[in-house]
């Protein structure tokens, strides 16, 4: 499965072209708008498109530069204007449209030809890749965006459009805005009057399911589901989820800006978010967890990214804010917010080395685990700690102010800061500057902890230090104390320098004190806070994969194929037979493949988290026997700081699926799969322990409940 992302706008896609016309230009807040009235005829069998586009250009110009797909042979159909070719590169060509005063910005162009580009695999780290298309018109479907050059794009502009699409019988087309019907027109019709940063055109033999909205707010937007294979129960579940999320985010942020939101089934595995619809792959769309995890992320992009546009020059804030208010919020509602934040810190530790780190202002889009850990994870934590500083009410008010002030405009971190400063009356310059323009994370230490009796109970005090070599970051850090009787207490300590102090009065003696136990700060995890996971191996720049020389030939071949797939583009990783090694290396991460691997006993020795008997082929996790017959098993462990992983399959047919799926399970410490597909049966993380950020007072170590905290939705509404 591919991770979900908003596709890059056309200007980013053509940034590498040598022509000056093609260089990316950041959209200013007040961006000129081009109007398009397009009559489109699609011939999927031939891969062809024919368009008549009545353009309304920004006033006061005697020429404009256009970008169009090569080979479409544009000509001026009406209007006093001429076209001048400027050059081409790859699949795009540049043209200059010269306008006479008589044209008054109104010109009709006619063009047509073939657009057909295959899928390209984009590597995203060890064992991971995603597929993308430059644009295609094919017998199984049509995918066109500005990067494909299907319409005349004027760089540095936004678009309004009225679109009439003629298609083969049984086909329908989809775009932004309202549609697909129009009185008197037999094809698909779409209109969008709000300025857009691109125009998308998707077509296939879809079955359309819909639920009309009621007037007023998000309830006025229609919910739609477009499936290539009819499936009424699946459609009904997505229609209900669409309504839920549109209403949720309309209450939290502001009114939904589009006439509909549509779930659209793509022809390849994807997770793309466009204005007013999302394009998901056929397997992705049917994964049971998607509707409650990644789907709200795509809906929310219609506020962040497709409602307020990203001023790319100053950093893509949209993915982090969307991850925080969708992925994180869904977990927070289920009481798993702390686990989500810990996983974000772990991903940064696993995948981001010093030479891969960059500031939030340098993030443009995801291109692998490292960029995701920063642009999604670190950015989400930036917003989370800001929320702690301001409180839920002011944080929500700031979101609403930002949305209201910048809807359908390009905005950046400066606009976010302005909105939160306006509602809070606080100067947030130091916080925004430090966390968006610098690399790295905080490292915390807890010192000088002491307790003393008072007239009314006890007082616990201590000092918090930022111990990273780099300059301190401004942030607030929670300290939580559990007394021997009564509820726990939490205080927020403001760190605007290298250190801060706290003193907490209690009615009873303290039992336990913890610094940042719910992972509210973007920081380096301390030993004991998170156990080893698959990400520690997948994120390593170098390592060794050892094949089982004693395995039967088909299994050995399958393991070799898995290792080969994982080491493509990973020059620091090496593959060898276990028989080639005198002993298990200790200086790098190691994957051990197969029950038969001669180092499996060494991997299993003295493990606290599992009991593995390679000879008897038995496994116990958390005291329970695992059915290993025919199962695909994955275990990790840490040995003196070294990450080790072990994979065993009972059937060689399951290995291609494991090779494809395991890189997407990076946060887990163990996994159990069944069947040749294979299907995940069990997944889990090894239990963490205490760290240097925890102090116990006395010998008792009872299990303690975390401080109850409302989700952002529950707190604000």
């Amino acid at each position: 499965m591919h991770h979900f992302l908003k596709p890059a706008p056309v200007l980013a896609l053509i940034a590498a072209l040598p022509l000056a016309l093609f260089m990316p230009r950041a959209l200013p807040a007040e961006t000129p708008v081009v109007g398009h009235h397009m009559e489109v005829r699609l011939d999927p069998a031939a891969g062809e498109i024919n368009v008549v586009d009545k353009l309304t250009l920004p006033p006061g110009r005697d020429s404009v530069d256009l970008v169009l797909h090569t080979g479409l042979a544009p000509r001026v159909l009406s209007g006093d204007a001429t076209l001048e070719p400027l050059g081409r590169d790859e699949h795009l060509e540049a043209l200059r449209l010269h306008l006479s005063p008589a044209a008054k910005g109104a010109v009709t162009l006619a063009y047509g030809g073939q657009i057909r580009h295959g899928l390209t695999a984009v590597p995203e780290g060890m064992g991971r890749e995603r597929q993308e298309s430059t644009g295609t018109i094919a017998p199984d479907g049509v995918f066109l965006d500005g990067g494909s050059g299907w319409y005349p794009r004027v760089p540095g502009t936004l678009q309004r459009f009225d679109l009439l699409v003629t298609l083969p019988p049984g086909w329908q087309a989809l775009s932004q805005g309202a549609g697909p019907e129009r009185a008197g027109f037999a094809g698909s019709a779409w209109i969008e009057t709000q300025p857009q940063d691109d125009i998308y055109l998707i077509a296939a033999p879809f079955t359309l399911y819909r639920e009309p909205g009621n007037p007023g707010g998000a309830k006025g937007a229609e919910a739609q589901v477009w499936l290539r294979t009819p499936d009424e129960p699946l459609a009904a579940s997505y229609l209900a989820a669409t309504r839920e999320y549109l209403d949720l985010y309309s209450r939290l942020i502001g009114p939904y800006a589009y006439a509909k939101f549509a779930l659209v089934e793509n022809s390849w595995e994807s997770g793309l978010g466009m204005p007013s619809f999302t394009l998901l792959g056929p397997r992705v769309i049917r994964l049971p967890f998607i509707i409650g995890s990644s789907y709200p992320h795509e809906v929310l992009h219609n506020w962040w990214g497709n409602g307020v546009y990203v001023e790319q020059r100053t950093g893509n804030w949209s993915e982090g804010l969307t991850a925080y208010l969708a992925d994180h919020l869904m977990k927070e509602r289920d009481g798993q917010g702390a686990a989500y934040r810990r996983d974000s810190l772990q991903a940064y530790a696993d995948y981001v080395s010093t030479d891969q780190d960059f500031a939030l202002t340098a993030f443009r889009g995801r291109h692998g685990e490292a960029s995701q850990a920063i642009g999604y994870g670190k950015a989400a934590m930036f917003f989370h700690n800001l929320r702690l500083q301001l409180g839920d009410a002011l944080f929500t008010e700031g979101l609403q102010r930002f949305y209201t002030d910048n809807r359908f405009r390009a905005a950046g971190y400066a606009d976010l800061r302005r909105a939160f400063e306006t509602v809070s009356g606080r100067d947030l310059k130091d916080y925004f500057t430090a966390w968006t323009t610098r690399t790295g994370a905080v490292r915390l230490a807890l010192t000088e902890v002491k307790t003393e009796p008072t007239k009314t109970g006890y007082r616990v005090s201590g000092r918090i230090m930022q111990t990273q070599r780099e300059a301190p970051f401004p942030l607030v850090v929670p300290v939580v104390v559990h007394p021997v009787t009564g509820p726990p207490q939490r205080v927020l300590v403001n760190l605007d320098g290298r250190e801060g102090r706290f003193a907490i009065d209690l009615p009873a003696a303290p039992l336990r004190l913890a610094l940042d136990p719910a992972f509210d700060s973007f920081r380096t995890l301390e030993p004991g806070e998170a156990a080893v996971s698959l990400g520690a191996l997948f994120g390593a720049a170098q390592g060794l994969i050892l094949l089982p020389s004693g395995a039967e030939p088909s299994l050995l071949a399958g393991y070799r194929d898995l290792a080969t797939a994982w080491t493509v583009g990973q020059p620091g990783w090496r593959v060898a037979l276990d028989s080639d090694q005198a002993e298990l290396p200790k200086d790098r991460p190691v994957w051990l493949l197969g029950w038969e691997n001669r180092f499996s006993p060494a991997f299993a020795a003295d493990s606290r988290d599992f009991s593995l008997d390679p000879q008897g082929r038995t496994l116990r996790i958390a005291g329970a026997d695992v059915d290993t017959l025919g199962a695909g098993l994955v275990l990790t462990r840490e040995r003196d700081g070294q990450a080790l992983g072990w994979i065993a399959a009972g059937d060689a047919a399951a290995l291609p699926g494991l090779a494809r799926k395991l890189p997407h399970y990076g946060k887990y410490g163990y996994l159990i799969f069944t069947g040749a597909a294979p299907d995940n049966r069990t997944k889990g993380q090894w239990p963490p322990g205490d760290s240097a950020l925890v102090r116990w007072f006395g010998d008792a170590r009872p299990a303690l409940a975390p401080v109850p905290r409302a989700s952002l939705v529950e707190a604000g509404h």
Side-chain angles (χ1 to χ4, degrees), residues 508-660:
L511 176 63
R512 180 181 184 265
L513 179 147
L515 176 61
D516 196 28
F519 310 99
D520 292 302
S521 312
F522 189 73
R523 60 180 177 84
T524 301
L525 290 171
E526 294 300 311
E529 288 192 296
V532 67
S533 64
L534 273 69
L537 293 113
F538 286 126
Q542 60 180 358
L544 177 65
I545 303 178
L546 289 178
L547 307 176
S549 56
E552 58 94 10
S554 65
L555 264 178
L556 178 58
Y559 286 129
R560 189 180 299 278
D561 289 344
L562 179 149
T564 300
W566 282 3
T567 53
V568 171
Q570 303 293 318
W573 279 81
R574 188 170 64 88
V575 180
L577 290 170
D578 57 1
S579 56
D580 295 336
Q581 299 290 128
E583 60 182 18
L584 186 62
K586 299 180 179 180
D587 60 346
R588 75 201 77 170
V590 180
W591 279 109
L592 303 173
L593 307 187
W595 285 105
E596 308 84 357
N597 199 295
R598 64 188 292 251
F599 295 110
S600 291
F603 173 83
D606 303 320
S607 171
R608 296 180 306 169
D609 297 316
F610 59 84
S611 175
L612 177 69
D613 177 6
Q615 185 174 3
R617 299 204 172 190
T618 62
L619 172 64
R620 289 175 62 85
I621 296 177
D625 290 328
V626 174
D627 182 5
T628 63
L629 185 63
L633 306 174
V634 185
L635 302 173
T636 62
R637 68 172 301 183
E638 187 174 6
R639 186 183 65 179
D640 298 327
Q642 178 192 25
L644 297 173
W646 179 82
I647 301 171
D651 183 357
L655 288 170
L658 288 174
R660 184 181 69 252

Side-chain angles (χ1 to χ4, degrees), residues 331-342:
K331 292 293 187 182
E332 188 180 45
R333 289 200 308 180
D334 294 338
Q336 300 177 42
Y340 179 94
R341 295 189 293 273
R342 183 195 62 197

Side-chain angles (χ1 to χ4, degrees), residues 140-344:
D140 65 342
V142 174
F143 173 84
L144 299 171
D145 65 359
S148 67
W150 79 273
Y151 67 94
R153 180 71 182 268
V154 179
T157 66
L158 296 173
Q159 324 296 315
R160 289 190 180 97
F161 63 88
D162 187 358
L163 183 59
L164 301 174
V165 187
T166 301
L167 304 114
W171 280 58
Q172 297 189 75
L174 175 81
S175 188
Q176 298 109 294
E181 303 91 0
R182 186 167 307 172
F185 181 66
S188 297
W190 295 92
I191 185 168
E192 181 53 75
T193 59
Q194 300 283 9
Q196 302 290 291
D197 63 355
D198 203 350
I199 305 175
Y200 299 90
L201 181 57
I202 312 298
F206 288 117
T207 298
L208 171 59
Y209 303 86
R210 58 206 306 183
E211 180 183 295
N214 299 315
K219 295 182 179 179
E222 183 173 79
Q224 298 181 352
V225 173
W226 300 64
L227 298 180
R228 291 168 173 266
T229 302
D231 190 333
E232 190 166 346
L234 180 68
S237 63
Y238 273 102
L239 290 172
T242 300
R243 180 63 59 218
E244 175 191 350
Y245 298 137
L246 289 179
D247 290 348
L248 168 66
Y249 292 122
S250 292
R251 294 193 308 270
L252 181 65
I253 303 167
Y256 182 66
Y258 290 97
K260 59 111 179 18
F261 186 81
L263 172 75
V264 185
E265 184 176 2
N266 200 5
S267 61
W268 76 90
E269 295 306 325
S270 65
L272 303 172
M274 289 79 163
S276 79
F277 69 98
T278 183
L279 196 60
L280 306 187
R283 283 205 310 265
V284 170
I285 210 171
R286 291 167 175 84
L287 292 171
F289 57 84
I290 289 294
I291 201 166
S293 57
S294 299
Y295 190 55
H297 184 110
E298 296 310 306
V299 174
L300 181 54
H301 262 312
N302 289 275
W303 280 263
W304 311 133
N306 293 325
V308 179
Y309 301 132
V310 173
E311 211 303 299
Q312 289 279 1
R313 180 182 55 189
T314 57
N316 181 349
W317 50 267
S318 168
E319 292 297 356
L321 187 54
T322 303
Y324 184 62
L325 296 176
D327 309 68
H328 174 271
L329 179 57
M330 296 302 117
K331 292 293 187 182
E332 188 180 45
R333 289 200 308 180
D334 294 338
Q336 300 177 42
Y340 179 94
R341 295 189 293 273
R342 183 195 62 197
D343 291 342
S344 296

Side-chain angles (χ1 to χ4, degrees), residues 61-115:
R61 301 189 185 188
D62 57 9
S63 70
V64 293
D65 293 335
L66 307 173
V67 179
L68 201 62
H69 195 280
T70 57
L72 295 186
R75 66 188 190 279
V76 176
L77 201 62
S78 66
D80 194 358
T82 58
L83 280 169
E84 174 193 0
L86 297 180
R88 63 180 61 187
D89 195 286
E90 296 182 358
H91 69 284
L92 298 174
E93 67 176 315
L95 304 121
R96 183 158 293 157
L97 184 65
H98 296 278
L99 306 165
S100 74
K104 297 181 179 179
V107 177
T108 300
L109 299 181
Y111 56 91
Q114 190 174 81
I115 301 177

